Structure formats: C-alpha cells, structure tokens
Amino acid sequence: MGHQKNVTEFVFMGLWTNKEIELLFFVLFLLCYLAVLVGNVLVLLTITCSPLIEQPMYYFLGHLSFMDLCYTSTVVPRLIRDLAAARKTISYNSCMTQLFTAHLLAGVEIFILVSMALDRYVAIVKPLHYMAIMNRRKCNLLVVVAWGVGFWHSIALLLMVLRLPFCGPNQIDHYICDVKPLLKLVCKDIHVVSILVIANSGMVVVVIFLVLVASYLLILYHLRTRSSAGRRKALSTCSSHVTVVVLFFVPCIYTYVLPAGSENKDKEISVFYTVVAPMLNPLIYTLRNMEMKIAMQKVWARMSHQ
C-alpha cells in the first residue's frame, strides 16, 4: 500500500449533532475562550509587571499561563468557528499542524507542572537551600527542558502519523485533529501504532502523574513538623497545584491510556483539558493566593494612574 494518502481534507463530526445545542455551545465556548484570554493575560501581566517574577513559583506560573493561552488558542478558535459552520472541514496539512502544535504545547505544559511541583518540594523539604537550588539559571534550564521534551514527544507523534495511509472515510469523530480519532481512519492494521501511541502519550502521562502525586505526598509528610501557620500556607499553595494537576491529568490519562478502537467519551472528556482547565487555572491560583491578589491590585493601581 505504501504511504498512500488519497485524503486531502478531513471533516470533523464535532461534539454534537443537534444544531440548536451547537449554537448554545458556540456562545458558551466563546465566553469560556474570552475567560481563558482575560484570566491568563491578567496572571501574566501581574507576574511580569511585579517583583513576583523573581520568585521561581511565579516564574513558572507565568509560563503556565502563557502555555494555557497558546494551547487553548490552537484548539478553541477552530472549535468555536466549526460550531457555527455548516461543514466542519480541515485540510490534511492543517490537521497535521494542529496535531503537532497541540501536543507540543501540552507536552511543555506538563513539564512546567512538573517544575512547579519540584519548586514546591524544594521550598518545603529543603527550605535553607531553596534559593541556591532554584536559582534563575536552573529555572531557565527547566523551561528549556520542558520545550525540548514537548518537541521530542510531538515530533515523534507527528512522524508516526505522517507515515500512515489515509485512503477511505475522512470523518473525524472529534472536534480537533488528535492522534486517536485519526487512527480510526487509517486503512491498515493499527495495532503496533496504537501501542506506540499509548507508550508515547498514555504511559508517559501516567508516570508523570504518579511522580507528581508522590512529590505532593512527600511534601505532606514533611509538613507534619511545621508550625500550624506555615503548614496552612504551604497546604493552601499545594492544594491549588494539586487541583490543577488533577484537572489536567485525569482527563488526559482517560483519553490516552485506552487503545484507539475502544468506544469511549474521548471528545467530551477532552473538553476538560482544552477548555475547562485553562479557564480555571487563573482562578485557582489567584483566589487562594494573597501575594497574587496584592500584586494584582498594585499593578492595576499603577496602570490606572498612568
């Protein structure tokens, strides 16, 4: 068969078949996307325009907000446009671009979350060495590693999909070009590729999630010796981090651990990490964080006086 590709465009089946529901969700997702933009831009502005940028935790939080902005922008604008469109088509090249970009940005985001967990671990378990261990050079290095790992993951996935023959039906049972719905359209045996996808995405996500859970359990263990005030502050910060990790990872695990042929609610569940998590992240990090609130007020006051 070779690398036969008769398919030049794909058609998204979208989230719903009912046109009225689609229009309702068009409005809803549009509002959600605006909330993602406003929330994450606010967090970015607050961190970059205040001394908070000097602290590793906020340095990483700034990067997380930037990743949320970029990641959501590769997925949601097209989803919103398709909800209002009669025919939801995407060219083969655009589809591959979206697949690569979404996995690159999600990969980077996952490793930013790992960096944030590492930062909290060092802050609580080795407080005296914190500034030496988490200096700016190391923080920059962690961000570079995050981009490197994200790129390696997504290029491996892209090269794998580019070699697959698409010659039959071109209807993607999803609202984005993702690897699993695409595998269902391949006209050859996909058992090996399916296992590779689970290894590349599913297993990696599970391992990282377990490492993150273990790190937060270790932090909890070390908090036993702290004073109640110190414990409260650390718990408040860590609970925000854990909430974000769970919101992002649990749907990811559900999506990528099950093989491609299985009947599951992938596209509905994926809304959690494409729309819901990026929208809630700024709220989770700011509502429970006094430093962020104070910095926000100062930046706001400074801007309104100019």
Side-chain angles (χ1 to χ4, degrees):
M1 207 117 177
H3 306 325
Q4 189 178 329
K5 283 193 198 79
N6 300 341
V7 171
T8 53
E9 68 168 17
F10 294 104
V11 180
F12 290 127
M13 286 160 76
L15 280 162
W16 299 275
T17 45
N18 186 319
K19 202 75 206 138
E20 280 78 30
I21 293 178
E22 284 204 326
L23 286 173
L24 172 72
F25 275 92
F26 168 80
V27 176
L28 190 66
F29 281 139
L30 188 61
L31 292 172
C32 287
Y33 185 53
L34 289 174
V36 170
L37 294 180
V38 172
N40 286 293
V41 166
L42 265 175
V43 169
L44 261 175
L45 273 176
T46 304
I47 290 169
T48 49
C49 300
S50 73
L52 288 181
I53 187 91
E54 300 304 321
Q55 297 180 41
M57 183 173 106
Y58 294 105
Y59 173 77
F60 290 129
L61 182 54
H63 278 282
L64 185 75
S65 282
F66 179 64
M67 292 327 314
D68 276 340
L69 275 174
C70 297
Y71 178 63
T72 313
S73 297
T74 62
V75 174
V76 181
R78 183 178 276 278
L79 165 62
I80 293 168
R81 194 198 72 187
D82 285 346
L83 282 170
R87 204 160 170 270
K88 311 164 178 34
T89 57
I90 185 169
S91 71
Y92 178 83
N93 289 346
S94 298
C95 182
M96 294 303 126
T97 306
Q98 190 186 49
L99 173 77
F100 174 77
T101 316
H103 274 269
L104 168 68
L105 297 170
V108 178
E109 175 150 346
I110 281 172
F111 276 87
I112 296 288
L113 288 169
V114 171
S115 303
M116 290 172 85
L118 178 70
D119 169 68
R120 287 303 83 207
Y121 178 80
V122 175
I124 288 161
V125 178
K126 296 192 185 310
L128 299 177
H129 306 286
Y130 177 64
M131 289 321 287
I133 296 173
M134 298 303 290
N135 58 35
R136 185 42 57 95
R137 212 187 87 243
K138 292 239 181 67
C139 291
N140 288 336
L141 182 67
L142 283 168
V143 171
V144 170
V145 168
W147 277 95
V149 173
F151 181 77
W152 172 79
H153 156 75
S154 49
I155 201 83
L157 206 61
L158 179 70
L159 292 174
M160 203 156 59
V161 175
L162 284 174
R163 297 184 54 178
L164 298 171
F166 295 97
C167 43
N170 66 342
Q171 286 197 318
I172 299 178
D173 186 18
H174 214 296
Y175 59 91
I176 49 171
C177 271
D178 201 3
V179 63
K180 277 179 64 183
L182 278 171
L183 284 182
K184 290 180 183 173
L185 307 181
V186 172
C187 43
K188 74 166 194 180
D189 184 53
I190 57 159
H191 274 92
V192 177
V193 182
S194 198
I195 290 164
L196 287 175
V197 167
I198 291 171
N200 181 321
S201 301
M203 286 303 110
V204 174
V205 174
V206 171
V207 169
I208 293 169
F209 181 64
L210 292 175
V211 168
L212 288 174
V213 169
S215 72
Y216 286 115
L217 286 174
L218 276 171
I219 288 170
L220 277 177
Y221 178 73
H222 278 274
L223 281 177
R224 294 168 312 136
T225 53
R226 289 291 171 90
S227 66
S228 60
R231 194 183 305 153
R232 233 190 343 266
K233 189 181 180 221
L235 275 175
S236 171
T237 309
C238 288
S239 61
S240 301
H241 287 214
V242 171
T243 310
V244 169
V245 164
V246 168
L247 259 178
F248 191 81
F249 275 86
V250 173
C252 269
I253 289 170
Y254 175 87
T255 304
Y256 292 106
V257 168
L258 299 169
S262 54
E263 281 306 311
N264 46 30
K265 298 245 174 280
D266 277 3
K267 59 182 177 183
E268 292 86 354
I269 297 287
S270 67
V271 172
F272 276 98
Y273 55 83
T274 55
V275 184
V276 179
M279 181 176 71
L280 294 181
N281 284 0
L283 286 174
I284 293 166
Y285 282 119
T286 50
L287 287 180
R288 309 194 44 184
N289 189 322
M290 226 36 231
E291 279 181 305
M292 274 296 280
K293 283 185 197 163
I294 293 163
M296 231 170 219
Q297 285 160 0
K298 283 181 180 167
V299 170
W300 197 250
R302 211 165 57 224
M303 285 173 126
S304 53
H305 283 132
Q306 280 174 0

mmCIF file of all heavy atoms in Angstrom, residues 149-165:
data_model
loop_
_atom_site.group_PDB
_atom_site.id
_atom_site.type_symbol
_atom_site.label_atom_id
_atom_site.label_comp_id
_atom_site.label_asym_id
_atom_site.label_seq_id
_atom_site.Cartn_x
_atom_site.Cartn_y
_atom_site.Cartn_z
ATOM 1 N N VAL A 149 11.497 18.464 25.702
ATOM 2 C CA VAL A 149 10.715 17.225 25.874
ATOM 3 C C VAL A 149 9.405 17.308 25.088
ATOM 4 O O VAL A 149 8.999 16.350 24.424
ATOM 5 C CB VAL A 149 10.451 16.944 27.372
ATOM 6 C CG1 VAL A 149 9.499 15.774 27.543
ATOM 7 C CG2 VAL A 149 11.758 16.651 28.096
ATOM 8 N N GLY A 150 8.740 18.471 25.165
ATOM 9 C CA GLY A 150 7.490 18.676 24.417
ATOM 10 C C GLY A 150 7.705 18.494 22.924
ATOM 11 O O GLY A 150 6.917 17.841 22.235
ATOM 12 N N PHE A 151 8.814 19.047 22.423
ATOM 13 C CA PHE A 151 9.130 18.953 20.988
ATOM 14 C C PHE A 151 9.413 17.506 20.603
ATOM 15 O O PHE A 151 8.909 17.000 19.596
ATOM 16 C CB PHE A 151 10.337 19.835 20.650
ATOM 17 C CG PHE A 151 10.699 19.810 19.193
ATOM 18 C CD1 PHE A 151 9.960 20.534 18.264
ATOM 19 C CD2 PHE A 151 11.764 19.041 18.745
ATOM 20 C CE1 PHE A 151 10.274 20.496 16.914
ATOM 21 C CE2 PHE A 151 12.085 18.989 17.383
ATOM 22 C CZ PHE A 151 11.338 19.723 16.469
ATOM 23 N N TRP A 152 10.196 16.824 21.432
ATOM 24 C CA TRP A 152 10.556 15.424 21.153
ATOM 25 C C TRP A 152 9.302 14.546 21.104
ATOM 26 O O TRP A 152 9.143 13.721 20.211
ATOM 27 C CB TRP A 152 11.530 14.947 22.236
ATOM 28 C CG TRP A 152 11.811 13.489 22.176
ATOM 29 C CD1 TRP A 152 12.670 12.853 21.315
ATOM 30 C CD2 TRP A 152 11.221 12.462 22.994
ATOM 31 N NE1 TRP A 152 12.644 11.493 21.549
ATOM 32 C CE2 TRP A 152 11.781 11.222 22.566
ATOM 33 C CE3 TRP A 152 10.304 12.455 24.039
ATOM 34 C CZ2 TRP A 152 11.416 10.015 23.159
ATOM 35 C CZ3 TRP A 152 9.944 11.256 24.623
ATOM 36 C CH2 TRP A 152 10.502 10.051 24.182
ATOM 37 N N HIS A 153 8.406 14.767 22.051
ATOM 38 C CA HIS A 153 7.158 13.988 22.117
ATOM 39 C C HIS A 153 6.302 14.230 20.876
ATOM 40 O O HIS A 153 5.810 13.295 20.248
ATOM 41 C CB HIS A 153 6.385 14.371 23.387
ATOM 42 C CG HIS A 153 4.910 14.113 23.301
ATOM 43 N ND1 HIS A 153 4.368 12.847 23.389
ATOM 44 C CD2 HIS A 153 3.858 14.953 23.097
ATOM 45 C CE1 HIS A 153 3.051 12.930 23.247
ATOM 46 N NE2 HIS A 153 2.724 14.192 23.072
ATOM 47 N N SER A 154 6.128 15.508 20.512
ATOM 48 C CA SER A 154 5.196 15.824 19.418
ATOM 49 C C SER A 154 5.778 15.499 18.047
ATOM 50 O O SER A 154 5.047 15.109 17.140
ATOM 51 C CB SER A 154 4.749 17.288 19.488
ATOM 52 O OG SER A 154 5.869 18.119 19.632
ATOM 53 N N ILE A 155 7.099 15.637 17.890
ATOM 54 C CA ILE A 155 7.691 15.310 16.583
ATOM 55 C C ILE A 155 7.635 13.798 16.364
ATOM 56 O O ILE A 155 7.379 13.324 15.256
ATOM 57 C CB ILE A 155 9.136 15.866 16.427
ATOM 58 C CG1 ILE A 155 9.522 15.989 14.950
ATOM 59 C CG2 ILE A 155 10.187 15.040 17.137
ATOM 60 C CD1 ILE A 155 9.042 17.228 14.267
ATOM 61 N N ALA A 156 7.823 13.017 17.449
ATOM 62 C CA ALA A 156 7.734 11.546 17.346
ATOM 63 C C ALA A 156 6.323 11.135 16.920
ATOM 64 O O ALA A 156 6.141 10.278 16.045
ATOM 65 C CB ALA A 156 8.097 10.902 18.681
ATOM 66 N N LEU A 157 5.339 11.792 17.522
ATOM 67 C CA LEU A 157 3.936 11.503 17.220
ATOM 68 C C LEU A 157 3.603 11.895 15.782
ATOM 69 O O LEU A 157 2.971 11.133 15.047
ATOM 70 C CB LEU A 157 3.044 12.296 18.189
ATOM 71 C CG LEU A 157 1.670 11.731 18.491
ATOM 72 C CD1 LEU A 157 1.765 10.361 19.137
ATOM 73 C CD2 LEU A 157 0.915 12.676 19.413
ATOM 74 N N LEU A 158 4.069 13.074 15.374
ATOM 75 C CA LEU A 158 3.789 13.579 14.019
ATOM 76 C C LEU A 158 4.396 12.661 12.962
ATOM 77 O O LEU A 158 3.730 12.292 11.988
ATOM 78 C CB LEU A 158 4.343 15.000 13.865
ATOM 79 C CG LEU A 158 4.137 15.627 12.477
ATOM 80 C CD1 LEU A 158 2.668 15.936 12.248
ATOM 81 C CD2 LEU A 158 4.964 16.890 12.316
ATOM 82 N N LEU A 159 5.662 12.277 13.151
ATOM 83 C CA LEU A 159 6.334 11.424 12.170
ATOM 84 C C LEU A 159 5.623 10.079 12.038
ATOM 85 O O LEU A 159 5.539 9.510 10.956
ATOM 86 C CB LEU A 159 7.806 11.213 12.555
ATOM 87 C CG LEU A 159 8.688 12.470 12.445
ATOM 88 C CD1 LEU A 159 10.078 12.209 12.989
ATOM 89 C CD2 LEU A 159 8.773 12.970 11.000
ATOM 90 N N MET A 160 5.097 9.602 13.160
ATOM 91 C CA MET A 160 4.373 8.339 13.166
ATOM 92 C C MET A 160 3.076 8.462 12.346
ATOM 93 O O MET A 160 2.756 7.607 11.522
ATOM 94 C CB MET A 160 4.033 7.980 14.620
ATOM 95 C CG MET A 160 3.787 6.527 14.870
ATOM 96 S SD MET A 160 4.093 6.142 16.596
ATOM 97 C CE MET A 160 2.957 7.196 17.458
ATOM 98 N N VAL A 161 2.342 9.567 12.542
ATOM 99 C CA VAL A 161 1.052 9.768 11.853
ATOM 100 C C VAL A 161 1.266 10.070 10.367
ATOM 101 O O VAL A 161 0.503 9.611 9.515
ATOM 102 C CB VAL A 161 0.226 10.882 12.541
ATOM 103 C CG1 VAL A 161 -1.044 11.186 11.761
ATOM 104 C CG2 VAL A 161 -0.124 10.473 13.972
ATOM 105 N N LEU A 162 2.330 10.814 10.040
ATOM 106 C CA LEU A 162 2.601 11.162 8.633
ATOM 107 C C LEU A 162 2.849 9.929 7.772
ATOM 108 O O LEU A 162 2.628 9.953 6.563
ATOM 109 C CB LEU A 162 3.813 12.103 8.543
ATOM 110 C CG LEU A 162 3.575 13.562 8.929
ATOM 111 C CD1 LEU A 162 4.875 14.338 8.925
ATOM 112 C CD2 LEU A 162 2.561 14.238 8.003
ATOM 113 N N ARG A 163 3.301 8.852 8.381
ATOM 114 C CA ARG A 163 3.608 7.632 7.629
ATOM 115 C C ARG A 163 2.373 6.751 7.414
ATOM 116 O O ARG A 163 2.440 5.744 6.727
ATOM 117 C CB ARG A 163 4.684 6.835 8.368
ATOM 118 C CG ARG A 163 5.997 7.591 8.481
ATOM 119 C CD ARG A 163 7.050 6.736 9.113
ATOM 120 N NE ARG A 163 7.199 5.458 8.405
ATOM 121 C CZ ARG A 163 8.090 4.536 8.745
ATOM 122 N NH1 ARG A 163 8.878 4.747 9.766
ATOM 123 N NH2 ARG A 163 8.171 3.401 8.074
ATOM 124 N N LEU A 164 1.268 7.126 8.039
ATOM 125 C CA LEU A 164 0.071 6.275 7.954
ATOM 126 C C LEU A 164 -0.749 6.570 6.701
ATOM 127 O O LEU A 164 -0.898 7.731 6.312
ATOM 128 C CB LEU A 164 -0.810 6.470 9.192
ATOM 129 C CG LEU A 164 -0.171 6.090 10.530
ATOM 130 C CD1 LEU A 164 -1.060 6.530 11.675
ATOM 131 C CD2 LEU A 164 0.093 4.597 10.617
ATOM 132 N N PRO A 165 -1.297 5.526 6.064
ATOM 133 C CA PRO A 165 -2.116 5.749 4.864
ATOM 134 C C PRO A 165 -3.578 6.084 5.227
ATOM 135 O O PRO A 165 -4.209 5.365 5.990
ATOM 136 C CB PRO A 165 -2.038 4.398 4.141
ATOM 137 C CG PRO A 165 -1.794 3.398 5.227
ATOM 138 C CD PRO A 165 -1.106 4.102 6.360
#
